[in-house]
Amino acid sequence: MNTIIQTYQLTKKFKEDEVLKPLDFSVKKGEICALIGKNGAGKSTLFKILAGQLFPTTGEIQLFGKSSKESENEKKRMGFMIETPAFFPDFTAVQNLEYFRIQRGVVEKKRIYEVLEIVGLANEKKKQFKDYSMGMKQRLGIALCLLSNPDCLVLDEPINGLDVEGIMEIRRLLLKLNQEKNITIVISSHILTELKLLATRFVFIKDGVIVDDLSKEALEEKSRKQILLTVDDSVKAAQLLERAYADIQFKVLPNQAITIQNHVESSGKINRLLVDNGVMVKEFRIEALNLEEYFLGLVEGNKHD
């Protein structure tokens, strides 16, 4: 699989404040990589370095296998949306994109109409930017990123401040770009539940350090459902579970509580097994450790087993 972004021991200091500690980070072709961290974790700093808006203190970046010294052409294959672009409020979408097309030296004028079609703004010909909803503004921002036909989009908080409908629109758009146009996407956001519906990979960053890097499958595994039950005799319940299910994974907790990590789909049978064998079940529920909790556990140091 081709590597599109690769950083080697990348650091960034502002005076004495080390915002990025030696960072090795890579993105492969075709991924939707979510960068997750609190404000000040280093996400925007990393994106600005990738975009050439900031210079790293030390370390190196490669784009499409070329080092930053030889990657001017490679940078043109990237589309960045790091802060909301400064569009002209009295211009329509076409007028705004025409301004940026000329400024950026994009030859084909028809590209404007192509990108507006892709982001679903082709029918908003007369509406001025100042009359756009927040979701439409973000979609125009993505259209601007697509103007130069990039292979990779880097989007900093593109769903921030959007309502539920706006978030869904952006999600559908990004999935379409990834699946139909084979565009690699790096995205940051605080809305973790939303990223779970979109990303194929999750990179957690805290204080300028990557603290975890998980595939979608690994994250599902970490945030999977479990059965939580409280009984009157946890020792007897444990023996019954082990006899009935050879591969059962469970933990006996204080106060006669037990969590069961697998066989969640057999919850009814497990409940019946205990009751039929004289174990009194006081509480029985299925719970999921969600991405939000997992993230908080990582970035705030609360450990979830």
Side-chain angles (χ1 to χ4, degrees), residues 1 9 25 40 56 60 68 74 91-92 124 143 149 154 162 187 196 207 219 231 268:
M1 206 188 271
Q9 296 291 289
F25 171 70
E60 198 203 332
S68 46
E74 274 55 42
F91 278 18
T92 63
E124 303 292 347
N149 231 331
V154 177
L162 297 185
I187 178 172
K196 202 172 172 189
D207 299 331
L219 186 77
V231 293

Side-chain angles (χ1 to χ4, degrees), residues 64-207:
F64 303 93
K66 300 274 176 70
S67 71
S68 46
K69 293 180 183 66
E70 44 180 24
S71 69
E72 261 327 293
N73 284 335
E74 274 55 42
K75 199 156 272 174
K76 290 176 184 158
R77 296 171 64 187
M78 308 280 293
F80 294 96
M81 190 164 94
I82 292 172
E83 280 139 358
T84 308
F87 289 116
F88 296 100
D90 296 333
F91 278 18
T92 63
V94 170
Q95 289 169 325
N96 266 300
L97 291 184
E98 175 64 2
Y99 168 80
F100 284 107
R101 180 187 78 83
I102 294 165
Q103 192 189 46
R104 294 179 181 189
V106 177
V107 179
E108 299 261 312
K109 183 160 185 172
K110 67 172 189 188
R111 183 66 187 156
I112 291 175
Y113 302 97
E114 289 169 6
V115 297
L116 288 175
E117 189 68 47
I118 291 167
V119 301
L121 290 175
N123 295 329
E124 303 292 347
K125 290 191 173 65
K126 295 204 165 69
K127 191 176 271 196
Q128 294 177 333
F129 180 75
K130 64 185 176 193
D131 299 323
Y132 274 21
S133 69
M134 189 70 181
M136 290 168 73
K137 287 176 178 175
Q138 292 296 73
R139 282 188 282 146
L140 188 59
I142 293 170
L144 177 58
C145 287
L146 295 171
L147 210 49
S148 58
N149 231 331
D151 295 307
C152 178
L153 290 181
V154 177
L155 309 171
D156 194 15
E157 302 272 1
I159 53 179
N160 213 8
L162 297 185
D163 59 14
V164 174
E165 195 176 328
I167 289 171
M168 278 173 58
E169 284 173 6
I170 298 290
R171 182 175 79 231
R172 280 198 294 265
L173 170 60
L174 295 180
L175 284 169
K176 184 172 93 169
L177 291 172
N178 178 254
Q179 290 160 7
E180 293 178 16
K181 310 276 185 196
N182 202 19
I183 293 177
T184 304
I185 296 169
V186 188
I187 178 172
S188 76
S189 176
H190 292 90
I191 307 174
L192 308 178
T193 43
E194 192 51 42
L195 288 179
K196 202 172 172 189
L197 298 171
L198 178 66
T200 57
R201 180 175 155 219
F202 301 82
V203 175
F204 293 88
I205 185 168
K206 177 188 181 185
D207 299 331

Side-chain angles (χ1 to χ4, degrees), residues 236-279:
K236 186 177 179 185
Q239 289 168 346
L240 287 165
L241 289 169
E242 283 176 332
R243 244 177 274 149
Y245 300 95
D247 63 338
I248 193 103
Q249 295 170 6
F250 68 92
K251 289 178 188 152
V252 179
L253 306 175
N255 304 322
Q256 306 285 357
I258 296 175
T259 58
I260 303 171
Q261 280 73 47
N262 58 352
H263 293 290
V264 176
E265 69 290 345
S266 305
S267 56
K269 288 179 184 167
I270 289 170
N271 195 16
R272 171 60 53 88
L273 169 78
L274 297 175
V275 172
D276 285 356
N277 286 279
V279 174

